[in-house]
């Protein structure tokens, strides 16, 4: 049996009263049912990267990067759990993306969006453009929660998981396919060579 695909699940929201951890916990619970996946949750509230980018960051920023960069580099695939703020995604996520380059290369990215009527899909569509520029591959299938606040009970369980679990299965199937294909190809030939 081959080693599990390493998937970094990125919790993008850092806003007070955020709902992202509830959705991320549900999603990682579904993902951890697959023995073929090794899940690493990267919660951006724990990684306060500055918006001001530098080619030579000071020691404090280097320390902040050293806590997250190796985890991104070790991942074979990513799932971004993002809210939709003002028709787009949070600044915390853009900072994470912009501070890194090769960590994203030739890896698949899936999305779990949440928000009001659009269910986070406008944020996801913006992110597809950004991740294309990082040399990663976004998977088509997503999970979206329209007005998620009433869909989970007090323990963080979905009240009616049928549609969301089916969407998560489809997303994870695609992520595994792309993650395995890209990992195998990179083992034969490094990306960009």
């Amino acid at each position: 049996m081959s080693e599990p695909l390493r998937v970094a699940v990125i919790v993008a929201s850092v806003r007070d009263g955020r709902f992202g951890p509830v959705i991320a916990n549900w999603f990682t619970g579904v993902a951890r049912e697959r023995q073929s996946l090794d899940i690493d949750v990267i919660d951006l509230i724990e990684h306060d990267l500055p918006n001001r980018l530098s080619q030579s960051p000071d020691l404090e920023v280097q320390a902040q990067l050293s806590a997250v960069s190796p985890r991104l580099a070790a991942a074979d695939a990513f799932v971004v759990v993002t809210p939709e703020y003002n028709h787009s995604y949070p600044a915390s996520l853009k900072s994470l993306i912009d501070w890194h380059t090769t960590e994203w290369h030739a890896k698949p990215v899936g999305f779990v969006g949440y928000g009001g009527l659009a269910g986070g899909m406008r944020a996801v569509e913006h992110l597809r453009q950004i991740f294309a520029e990082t040399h990663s591959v976004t998977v088509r299938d997503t999970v979206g929660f329209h007005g998620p606040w009433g869909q989970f009970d007090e323990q963080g369980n979905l009240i009616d998981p049928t549609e969301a679990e089916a969407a998560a299965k489809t997303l994870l199937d695609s992520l595994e396919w792309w993650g395995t294909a890209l990992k195998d190809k990179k083992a034969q030939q490094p990306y960009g060579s």
Side-chain angles (χ1 to χ4, degrees):
M1 183 173 176
S2 62
E3 66 180 49
L5 196 70
R6 296 173 306 229
V7 179
V9 176
I10 300 167
V11 183
S13 177
V14 297
R15 183 179 277 188
D16 287 345
R18 66 199 180 123
F19 199 71
V22 173
I23 293 174
N25 288 340
W26 165 79
F27 180 79
T28 57
V30 172
R32 285 187 171 124
E33 291 175 4
R34 295 178 180 223
Q35 293 184 2
S36 55
L37 301 179
D38 178 18
I39 305 299
D40 178 23
V41 177
I42 300 174
D43 190 340
L44 295 188
I45 205 159
E46 299 168 4
H47 304 283
D48 189 19
L49 298 176
N51 292 325
R52 184 176 178 194
L53 302 175
S54 171
Q55 294 289 1
S56 53
D58 62 31
L59 292 176
E60 181 181 341
V61 174
Q62 288 179 38
Q64 291 170 314
L65 288 168
S66 71
V68 69
S69 300
R71 293 167 69 188
L72 295 175
D76 299 310
F78 305 98
V79 174
V80 177
V81 178
T82 186
E84 182 178 310
Y85 296 156
N86 300 318
H87 287 216
S88 197
Y89 54 89
S92 54
L93 181 56
K94 187 67 163 86
S95 291
L96 178 77
I97 295 167
D98 289 350
W99 272 107
H100 298 91
T101 49
T102 58
E103 291 85 355
W104 308 113
H105 285 182
K107 297 177 184 179
V109 182
F111 302 101
V112 177
Y114 63 97
L117 292 176
M121 292 304 107
R122 290 179 288 219
V124 167
E125 291 309 311
H126 286 180
L127 285 167
R128 288 187 191 285
Q129 298 171 51
I130 303 301
F131 277 108
E133 197 62 25
T134 68
H135 298 255
S136 49
V137 176
T138 62
V139 298
R140 177 196 172 278
D141 300 292
T142 61
V143 179
F145 288 98
H146 308 271
W149 305 276
Q151 296 182 40
F152 291 82
D153 65 21
E154 291 179 10
Q155 289 75 40
N157 299 309
L158 270 171
I159 295 167
D160 181 5
T162 308
E163 287 184 25
E165 285 183 1
K169 178 191 180 311
T170 302
L171 166 63
L172 289 167
D173 288 347
S174 295
L175 193 77
E176 277 195 72
W177 191 94
W178 279 106
T180 302
L182 291 167
K183 183 179 177 181
D184 290 349
K185 181 61 178 174
K186 287 185 291 185
Q188 297 170 10
Q189 176 184 356
Y191 178 75
S193 63

